[in-house]
Amino acid sequence: MPHDGGLLQAAVVFLFAAVITVPLAKRLQLGAVLGYLLAGVLIGPSVLRLVTDPESVARVSELGVVLLLFIIGLELSPRRLWVMRRSVFGVGLAQVLLTALAIGSVAWLVFSRPLNTAAVLGFGLALSSTAFGLQILAERKELTSPHGRLAFAILLFQDIAAIPLIALLPLLAGARHLDAGEVELRDILLAVGSIGAVIVGGRYLLRPVFRIVLKAGLKEVATATSLLVVIGTAWLMELAGMSMALGAFIAGLLLADSEYRHELEAQIEPFKGLLLGLFFMSVGMSADLSLLLNEPFAVLVLTVLLMLLKLPLLYLVGHLAGGLDRVHALRLGIILAAGGEFAFVVFKLAHEQGLVDTRLHGLLVLSITLSMAVTPLLVLGLFRLFKAKPSPVSVPDEYARIDSDAPRVVIAGMGRMGQIIARVLRAQRVPYVALDTAVEMIDYGRSLSLGHMPIFYGDPLRPEILRAAKVDKAEFLIIATDDPDTNLKTAELVKQLYPHIKVIARARNRQHVHRLLDLGAVPVRETFHSALEMSHQALLGLGLNEEQAAARIRRFQRHDEEVLAAQHKVYDDDAAVIQTAREARAELEHLFDADLIENKGVK
């Protein structure tokens, strides 16, 4: 901690370092993770020495990984995990075994390390960073990409595999006792009992507890309960000698189908972000830069060797066993080639057991930290160099086969707006066809809750999909996706192919409205009418009667539409648009003032 031992000073140091370095790293497109690592290096014992005891920070920061795994569990469910079993226990197992064998063989044959030490090095360096990899994927919005999904499955298996590896360290060190069998049996029973307690508690105890707490209506108690679930589960698993992160993941998995899932996620998310940042800073603080200055060749060779061994193997596993194309397999390798946080734990215990000497332990910690620091740079450079093609989505035949007579309306996009439009059309018995590119949305739309809507998988930007949906025979195409670019491109394509059809398109903002008008579509602003209704309710609450409030809203709407039409003629001239907006604002205030005088005169 800082020299004077003040907790407040420590908080100021960490927050100041993060506020300075993380935005700078983001600005340079290096990612937040590298910013946190840099902050840790700067305030750590190797540079400014504002924090001299990284171990005390690391203990608290591990909670960031715990909270991350809990939220990951919340976003899964036992059913989805069963669907992923091939990726988790097939591809994940293959990656760990192949990588451990390759690295262990190099350590044994090339560097003449003892066999037990080589085994520890192989399995320890085979692990990648869950927090690091998922954070990079989340920043790039690639968690649902093919390499993102497989990376998550591999990382999940690695977290599970770290537990028996840690348990086997005393055995590899040769620490055998006469009562070892009893100790091992006791540890196994304790681990099984802890997992059973977490499963039973998560299934039968947590839901009633959350029901009682949320009924009390105290937000701070709900937050405390959420943290108690995660930290308490992690503590219980640690008592059993198991991974805290795995315990939190199991707890999240059990609550994934709970009605309180979204509440839990909202309560935990801010703490997860802060503690994950603290975790990465603690990794940066643990880096011994003096070792880098004294033995730069050894550190760099170990770092390069680690990534050169892991990356090709990850590529092969992703391509051959995971079914990824070459570009996505390469991206998988880049994301997971660095070492992981569990490796720090493994090598620290191995050092205590005498399997790894002090110099090698320092080299390993520094090499893993450097490999993490290099990863965002590789992602930034190589991802741009090797651009991935959109991968085909696995879609059931009945979703992809568009069976329809001549629909009067085709809806592109079945999010919240599209679903409301579809329900109105169905209530009026208007035949329609809906298209979406999210299999989950199609599955939901065809469920009993929405009454088996005619929703099909299809990208409206593909002409063959438009033909299959019989857009040429429809009277209206309603574009309701939440992506402005998709809406514009779809409107342009449809107007080229079928000039006769009337296009109604969802518009994000005024600029978007102008571009849709240029294409001959009818734009509907997605928030305009709901904002008018909210204003109407506010005016009623402020003392206006129904007639007065409705008249004010109608006048505002008519005036705004007139201004929008005037601005459409000059929307590519910023100065003219600003001048029009100023004149319109003054005119609207004058109109409302006239209404106010008129109402007083009537009274």
Side-chain angles (χ1 to χ4, degrees), residues 279-313:
F279 169 78
F280 291 125
M281 290 172 75
S282 72
V283 171
M285 285 187 291
S286 66
D288 184 4
L289 295 187
S290 63
L291 192 61
L292 180 61
L293 295 175
N294 295 331
E295 300 186 61
F297 183 75
V299 174
L300 293 176
V301 165
L302 189 56
T303 305
V304 172
L305 190 61
L306 168 64
M307 302 194 77
L308 285 181
L309 283 172
K310 287 184 74 173
L311 201 155
L313 290 171

mmCIF file of all heavy atoms in Angstrom, residues 279-313:
data_model
loop_
_atom_site.group_PDB
_atom_site.id
_atom_site.type_symbol
_atom_site.label_atom_id
_atom_site.label_comp_id
_atom_site.label_asym_id
_atom_site.label_seq_id
_atom_site.Cartn_x
_atom_site.Cartn_y
_atom_site.Cartn_z
ATOM 1 N N PHE A 279 -7.923 -5.447 -10.853
ATOM 2 C CA PHE A 279 -7.192 -6.695 -11.114
ATOM 3 C C PHE A 279 -6.088 -6.480 -12.146
ATOM 4 O O PHE A 279 -4.935 -6.895 -11.946
ATOM 5 C CB PHE A 279 -8.153 -7.781 -11.590
ATOM 6 C CG PHE A 279 -7.475 -9.001 -12.131
ATOM 7 C CD1 PHE A 279 -6.934 -9.945 -11.280
ATOM 8 C CD2 PHE A 279 -7.339 -9.198 -13.499
ATOM 9 C CE1 PHE A 279 -6.276 -11.064 -11.766
ATOM 10 C CE2 PHE A 279 -6.691 -10.311 -14.001
ATOM 11 C CZ PHE A 279 -6.163 -11.256 -13.132
ATOM 12 N N PHE A 280 -6.408 -5.815 -13.244
ATOM 13 C CA PHE A 280 -5.406 -5.587 -14.277
ATOM 14 C C PHE A 280 -4.296 -4.662 -13.772
ATOM 15 O O PHE A 280 -3.128 -4.817 -14.134
ATOM 16 C CB PHE A 280 -6.062 -5.004 -15.537
ATOM 17 C CG PHE A 280 -6.956 -5.969 -16.252
ATOM 18 C CD1 PHE A 280 -8.272 -5.656 -16.520
ATOM 19 C CD2 PHE A 280 -6.491 -7.212 -16.640
ATOM 20 C CE1 PHE A 280 -9.099 -6.544 -17.172
ATOM 21 C CE2 PHE A 280 -7.312 -8.110 -17.288
ATOM 22 C CZ PHE A 280 -8.622 -7.782 -17.558
ATOM 23 N N MET A 281 -4.659 -3.709 -12.931
ATOM 24 C CA MET A 281 -3.640 -2.836 -12.351
ATOM 25 C C MET A 281 -2.715 -3.624 -11.423
ATOM 26 O O MET A 281 -1.499 -3.393 -11.391
ATOM 27 C CB MET A 281 -4.305 -1.681 -11.594
ATOM 28 C CG MET A 281 -4.992 -0.681 -12.518
ATOM 29 S SD MET A 281 -5.981 0.546 -11.644
ATOM 30 C CE MET A 281 -4.697 1.598 -11.005
ATOM 31 N N SER A 282 -3.276 -4.570 -10.671
ATOM 32 C CA SER A 282 -2.440 -5.397 -9.787
ATOM 33 C C SER A 282 -1.486 -6.269 -10.599
ATOM 34 O O SER A 282 -0.353 -6.530 -10.174
ATOM 35 C CB SER A 282 -3.319 -6.268 -8.883
ATOM 36 O OG SER A 282 -3.941 -7.308 -9.605
ATOM 37 N N VAL A 283 -1.936 -6.727 -11.779
ATOM 38 C CA VAL A 283 -1.049 -7.490 -12.670
ATOM 39 C C VAL A 283 0.115 -6.613 -13.115
ATOM 40 O O VAL A 283 1.277 -7.033 -13.116
ATOM 41 C CB VAL A 283 -1.823 -8.025 -13.891
ATOM 42 C CG1 VAL A 283 -0.864 -8.621 -14.923
ATOM 43 C CG2 VAL A 283 -2.834 -9.077 -13.469
ATOM 44 N N GLY A 284 -0.188 -5.369 -13.487
ATOM 45 C CA GLY A 284 0.881 -4.451 -13.887
ATOM 46 C C GLY A 284 1.840 -4.154 -12.757
ATOM 47 O O GLY A 284 3.059 -4.065 -12.963
ATOM 48 N N MET A 285 1.307 -4.035 -11.529
ATOM 49 C CA MET A 285 2.179 -3.750 -10.380
ATOM 50 C C MET A 285 3.108 -4.915 -10.050
ATOM 51 O O MET A 285 4.201 -4.722 -9.522
ATOM 52 C CB MET A 285 1.321 -3.420 -9.151
ATOM 53 C CG MET A 285 0.696 -2.040 -9.202
ATOM 54 S SD MET A 285 -0.142 -1.624 -7.663
ATOM 55 C CE MET A 285 -1.514 -2.740 -7.712
ATOM 56 N N SER A 286 2.680 -6.127 -10.344
ATOM 57 C CA SER A 286 3.486 -7.303 -9.999
ATOM 58 C C SER A 286 4.663 -7.518 -10.954
ATOM 59 O O SER A 286 5.524 -8.358 -10.698
ATOM 60 C CB SER A 286 2.602 -8.552 -9.987
ATOM 61 O OG SER A 286 2.115 -8.834 -11.289
ATOM 62 N N ALA A 287 4.669 -6.770 -12.066
ATOM 63 C CA ALA A 287 5.757 -6.928 -13.042
ATOM 64 C C ALA A 287 7.067 -6.374 -12.471
ATOM 65 O O ALA A 287 7.128 -5.226 -12.037
ATOM 66 C CB ALA A 287 5.398 -6.213 -14.343
ATOM 67 N N ASP A 288 8.103 -7.187 -12.462
ATOM 68 C CA ASP A 288 9.417 -6.787 -11.943
ATOM 69 C C ASP A 288 10.250 -6.239 -13.107
ATOM 70 O O ASP A 288 10.913 -6.995 -13.833
ATOM 71 C CB ASP A 288 10.106 -7.990 -11.300
ATOM 72 C CG ASP A 288 11.434 -7.613 -10.650
ATOM 73 O OD1 ASP A 288 11.775 -6.416 -10.642
ATOM 74 O OD2 ASP A 288 12.127 -8.521 -10.157
ATOM 75 N N LEU A 289 10.191 -4.921 -13.288
ATOM 76 C CA LEU A 289 10.897 -4.317 -14.419
ATOM 77 C C LEU A 289 12.408 -4.394 -14.279
ATOM 78 O O LEU A 289 13.123 -4.333 -15.279
ATOM 79 C CB LEU A 289 10.456 -2.851 -14.573
ATOM 80 C CG LEU A 289 8.989 -2.622 -14.943
ATOM 81 C CD1 LEU A 289 8.748 -1.151 -15.235
ATOM 82 C CD2 LEU A 289 8.582 -3.465 -16.146
ATOM 83 N N SER A 290 12.914 -4.529 -13.052
ATOM 84 C CA SER A 290 14.367 -4.672 -12.889
ATOM 85 C C SER A 290 14.861 -5.950 -13.552
ATOM 86 O O SER A 290 15.964 -6.000 -14.100
ATOM 87 C CB SER A 290 14.727 -4.684 -11.401
ATOM 88 O OG SER A 290 14.139 -5.805 -10.751
ATOM 89 N N LEU A 291 14.029 -6.998 -13.514
ATOM 90 C CA LEU A 291 14.384 -8.251 -14.182
ATOM 91 C C LEU A 291 14.432 -8.052 -15.695
ATOM 92 O O LEU A 291 15.279 -8.625 -16.387
ATOM 93 C CB LEU A 291 13.370 -9.335 -13.813
ATOM 94 C CG LEU A 291 13.724 -10.780 -14.177
ATOM 95 C CD1 LEU A 291 15.002 -11.225 -13.476
ATOM 96 C CD2 LEU A 291 12.573 -11.718 -13.809
ATOM 97 N N LEU A 292 13.524 -7.204 -16.198
ATOM 98 C CA LEU A 292 13.524 -6.902 -17.626
ATOM 99 C C LEU A 292 14.797 -6.139 -18.017
ATOM 100 O O LEU A 292 15.350 -6.352 -19.095
ATOM 101 C CB LEU A 292 12.284 -6.073 -17.983
ATOM 102 C CG LEU A 292 12.131 -5.661 -19.453
ATOM 103 C CD1 LEU A 292 12.041 -6.881 -20.357
ATOM 104 C CD2 LEU A 292 10.902 -4.770 -19.626
ATOM 105 N N LEU A 293 15.278 -5.269 -17.126
ATOM 106 C CA LEU A 293 16.497 -4.519 -17.414
ATOM 107 C C LEU A 293 17.745 -5.388 -17.287
ATOM 108 O O LEU A 293 18.690 -5.243 -18.061
ATOM 109 C CB LEU A 293 16.593 -3.325 -16.454
ATOM 110 C CG LEU A 293 15.503 -2.258 -16.601
ATOM 111 C CD1 LEU A 293 15.637 -1.203 -15.511
ATOM 112 C CD2 LEU A 293 15.558 -1.615 -17.978
ATOM 113 N N ASN A 294 17.732 -6.303 -16.320
ATOM 114 C CA ASN A 294 18.908 -7.145 -16.081
ATOM 115 C C ASN A 294 19.001 -8.313 -17.054
ATOM 116 O O ASN A 294 20.091 -8.707 -17.466
ATOM 117 C CB ASN A 294 18.889 -7.678 -14.642
ATOM 118 C CG ASN A 294 19.020 -6.565 -13.612
ATOM 119 O OD1 ASN A 294 19.639 -5.540 -13.891
ATOM 120 N ND2 ASN A 294 18.420 -6.751 -12.449
ATOM 121 N N GLU A 295 17.852 -8.902 -17.391
ATOM 122 C CA GLU A 295 17.838 -10.057 -18.299
ATOM 123 C C GLU A 295 16.808 -9.861 -19.407
ATOM 124 O O GLU A 295 15.856 -10.635 -19.530
ATOM 125 C CB GLU A 295 17.530 -11.343 -17.521
ATOM 126 C CG GLU A 295 18.531 -11.674 -16.424
ATOM 127 C CD GLU A 295 18.244 -13.041 -15.809
ATOM 128 O OE1 GLU A 295 18.291 -14.039 -16.551
ATOM 129 O OE2 GLU A 295 17.955 -13.095 -14.605
ATOM 130 N N PRO A 296 16.981 -8.828 -20.214
ATOM 131 C CA PRO A 296 15.959 -8.556 -21.243
ATOM 132 C C PRO A 296 15.829 -9.679 -22.261
ATOM 133 O O PRO A 296 14.729 -9.982 -22.722
ATOM 134 C CB PRO A 296 16.458 -7.260 -21.900
ATOM 135 C CG PRO A 296 17.934 -7.233 -21.616
ATOM 136 C CD PRO A 296 18.094 -7.878 -20.276
ATOM 137 N N PHE A 297 16.961 -10.303 -22.607
ATOM 138 C CA PHE A 297 16.922 -11.363 -23.621
ATOM 139 C C PHE A 297 16.088 -12.553 -23.132
ATOM 140 O O PHE A 297 15.250 -13.077 -23.871
ATOM 141 C CB PHE A 297 18.343 -11.815 -23.957
ATOM 142 C CG PHE A 297 18.391 -12.860 -25.038
ATOM 143 C CD1 PHE A 297 18.178 -12.527 -26.365
ATOM 144 C CD2 PHE A 297 18.644 -14.195 -24.714
ATOM 145 C CE1 PHE A 297 18.203 -13.500 -27.362
ATOM 146 C CE2 PHE A 297 18.675 -15.169 -25.699
ATOM 147 C CZ PHE A 297 18.461 -14.823 -27.029
ATOM 148 N N ALA A 298 16.298 -12.957 -21.878
ATOM 149 C CA ALA A 298 15.568 -14.106 -21.340
ATOM 150 C C ALA A 298 14.069 -13.826 -21.279
ATOM 151 O O ALA A 298 13.239 -14.681 -21.627
ATOM 152 C CB ALA A 298 16.092 -14.455 -19.948
ATOM 153 N N VAL A 299 13.709 -12.607 -20.854
ATOM 154 C CA VAL A 299 12.289 -12.251 -20.747
ATOM 155 C C VAL A 299 11.633 -12.226 -22.123
ATOM 156 O O VAL A 299 10.543 -12.792 -22.322
ATOM 157 C CB VAL A 299 12.133 -10.882 -20.048
ATOM 158 C CG1 VAL A 299 10.670 -10.430 -20.077
ATOM 159 C CG2 VAL A 299 12.625 -10.949 -18.610
ATOM 160 N N LEU A 300 12.283 -11.581 -23.075
ATOM 161 C CA LEU A 300 11.701 -11.466 -24.411
ATOM 162 C C LEU A 300 11.611 -12.824 -25.104
ATOM 163 O O LEU A 300 10.607 -13.126 -25.775
ATOM 164 C CB LEU A 300 12.533 -10.497 -25.257
ATOM 165 C CG LEU A 300 12.495 -9.030 -24.802
ATOM 166 C CD1 LEU A 300 13.417 -8.172 -25.648
ATOM 167 C CD2 LEU A 300 11.068 -8.498 -24.868
ATOM 168 N N VAL A 301 12.634 -13.660 -24.941
ATOM 169 C CA VAL A 301 12.603 -15.002 -25.549
ATOM 170 C C VAL A 301 11.449 -15.822 -24.974
ATOM 171 O O VAL A 301 10.711 -16.487 -25.702
ATOM 172 C CB VAL A 301 13.946 -15.727 -25.350
ATOM 173 C CG1 VAL A 301 13.807 -17.218 -25.648
ATOM 174 C CG2 VAL A 301 15.017 -15.119 -26.245
ATOM 175 N N LEU A 302 11.282 -15.770 -23.658
ATOM 176 C CA LEU A 302 10.207 -16.540 -23.017
ATOM 177 C C LEU A 302 8.840 -16.034 -23.464
ATOM 178 O O LEU A 302 7.926 -16.830 -23.732
ATOM 179 C CB LEU A 302 10.346 -16.440 -21.498
ATOM 180 C CG LEU A 302 9.439 -17.357 -20.669
ATOM 181 C CD1 LEU A 302 9.617 -18.815 -21.058
ATOM 182 C CD2 LEU A 302 9.724 -17.177 -19.178
ATOM 183 N N THR A 303 8.688 -14.699 -23.582
ATOM 184 C CA THR A 303 7.407 -14.118 -24.024
ATOM 185 C C THR A 303 7.088 -14.526 -25.458
ATOM 186 O O THR A 303 5.977 -14.972 -25.765
ATOM 187 C CB THR A 303 7.444 -12.585 -23.908
ATOM 188 O OG1 THR A 303 7.783 -12.217 -22.576
ATOM 189 C CG2 THR A 303 6.101 -11.990 -24.273
ATOM 190 N N VAL A 304 8.072 -14.364 -26.341
ATOM 191 C CA VAL A 304 7.862 -14.705 -27.757
ATOM 192 C C VAL A 304 7.621 -16.197 -27.920
ATOM 193 O O VAL A 304 6.738 -16.621 -28.684
ATOM 194 C CB VAL A 304 9.071 -14.244 -28.600
ATOM 195 C CG1 VAL A 304 8.956 -14.768 -30.027
ATOM 196 C CG2 VAL A 304 9.175 -12.725 -28.592
ATOM 197 N N LEU A 305 8.384 -17.007 -27.185
ATOM 198 C CA LEU A 305 8.223 -18.457 -27.278
ATOM 199 C C LEU A 305 6.834 -18.886 -26.817
ATOM 200 O O LEU A 305 6.194 -19.747 -27.442
ATOM 201 C CB LEU A 305 9.297 -19.143 -26.435
ATOM 202 C CG LEU A 305 9.441 -20.659 -26.598
ATOM 203 C CD1 LEU A 305 9.800 -21.007 -28.039
ATOM 204 C CD2 LEU A 305 10.508 -21.189 -25.643
ATOM 205 N N LEU A 306 6.342 -18.265 -25.736
ATOM 206 C CA LEU A 306 5.003 -18.584 -25.234
ATOM 207 C C LEU A 306 3.952 -18.335 -26.303
ATOM 208 O O LEU A 306 3.115 -19.194 -26.592
ATOM 209 C CB LEU A 306 4.713 -17.731 -23.994
ATOM 210 C CG LEU A 306 3.259 -17.704 -23.497
ATOM 211 C CD1 LEU A 306 2.831 -19.083 -23.035
ATOM 212 C CD2 LEU A 306 3.090 -16.678 -22.379
ATOM 213 N N MET A 307 4.003 -17.161 -26.928
ATOM 214 C CA MET A 307 2.970 -16.808 -27.895
ATOM 215 C C MET A 307 3.141 -17.562 -29.215
ATOM 216 O O MET A 307 2.148 -17.916 -29.867
ATOM 217 C CB MET A 307 2.979 -15.296 -28.134
ATOM 218 C CG MET A 307 2.770 -14.499 -26.843
ATOM 219 S SD MET A 307 2.380 -12.762 -27.079
ATOM 220 C CE MET A 307 0.662 -12.853 -27.566
ATOM 221 N N LEU A 308 4.395 -17.843 -29.601
ATOM 222 C CA LEU A 308 4.614 -18.597 -30.842
ATOM 223 C C LEU A 308 4.204 -20.058 -30.703
ATOM 224 O O LEU A 308 3.846 -20.710 -31.698
ATOM 225 C CB LEU A 308 6.088 -18.512 -31.249
ATOM 226 C CG LEU A 308 6.548 -17.185 -31.852
ATOM 227 C CD1 LEU A 308 8.022 -17.251 -32.221
ATOM 228 C CD2 LEU A 308 5.707 -16.833 -33.083
ATOM 229 N N LEU A 309 4.253 -20.599 -29.501
ATOM 230 C CA LEU A 309 3.797 -21.978 -29.294
ATOM 231 C C LEU A 309 2.268 -22.048 -29.192
ATOM 232 O O LEU A 309 1.648 -22.948 -29.751
ATOM 233 C CB LEU A 309 4.433 -22.553 -28.024
ATOM 234 C CG LEU A 309 5.895 -22.985 -28.132
ATOM 235 C CD1 LEU A 309 6.441 -23.337 -26.759
ATOM 236 C CD2 LEU A 309 6.034 -24.181 -29.077
ATOM 237 N N LYS A 310 1.676 -21.090 -28.481
ATOM 238 C CA LYS A 310 0.234 -21.160 -28.241
ATOM 239 C C LYS A 310 -0.592 -20.761 -29.464
ATOM 240 O O LYS A 310 -1.605 -21.389 -29.765
ATOM 241 C CB LYS A 310 -0.158 -20.268 -27.052
ATOM 242 C CG LYS A 310 0.253 -20.821 -25.704
ATOM 243 C CD LYS A 310 -0.240 -19.957 -24.564
ATOM 244 C CE LYS A 310 -1.734 -20.100 -24.340
ATOM 245 N NZ LYS A 310 -2.176 -19.389 -23.128
ATOM 246 N N LEU A 311 -0.159 -19.723 -30.157
ATOM 247 C CA LEU A 311 -0.991 -19.190 -31.246
ATOM 248 C C LEU A 311 -1.248 -20.215 -32.357
ATOM 249 O O LEU A 311 -2.397 -20.419 -32.751
ATOM 250 C CB LEU A 311 -0.361 -17.907 -31.799
ATOM 251 C CG LEU A 311 -1.298 -16.971 -32.552
ATOM 252 C CD1 LEU A 311 -0.782 -15.536 -32.507
ATOM 253 C CD2 LEU A 311 -1.486 -17.370 -34.013
ATOM 254 N N PRO A 312 -0.212 -20.898 -32.898
ATOM 255 C CA PRO A 312 -0.501 -21.894 -33.949
ATOM 256 C C PRO A 312 -1.379 -23.043 -33.459
ATOM 257 O O PRO A 312 -2.225 -23.539 -34.206
ATOM 258 C CB PRO A 312 0.894 -22.393 -34.352
ATOM 259 C CG PRO A 312 1.840 -21.360 -33.884
ATOM 260 C CD PRO A 312 1.231 -20.773 -32.658
ATOM 261 N N LEU A 313 -1.152 -23.472 -32.209
ATOM 262 C CA LEU A 313 -1.968 -24.568 -31.686
ATOM 263 C C LEU A 313 -3.422 -24.142 -31.516
ATOM 264 O O LEU A 313 -4.346 -24.908 -31.807
ATOM 265 C CB LEU A 313 -1.396 -25.054 -30.351
ATOM 266 C CG LEU A 313 -0.063 -25.807 -30.443
ATOM 267 C CD1 LEU A 313 0.511 -26.054 -29.056
ATOM 268 C CD2 LEU A 313 -0.248 -27.133 -31.179
#
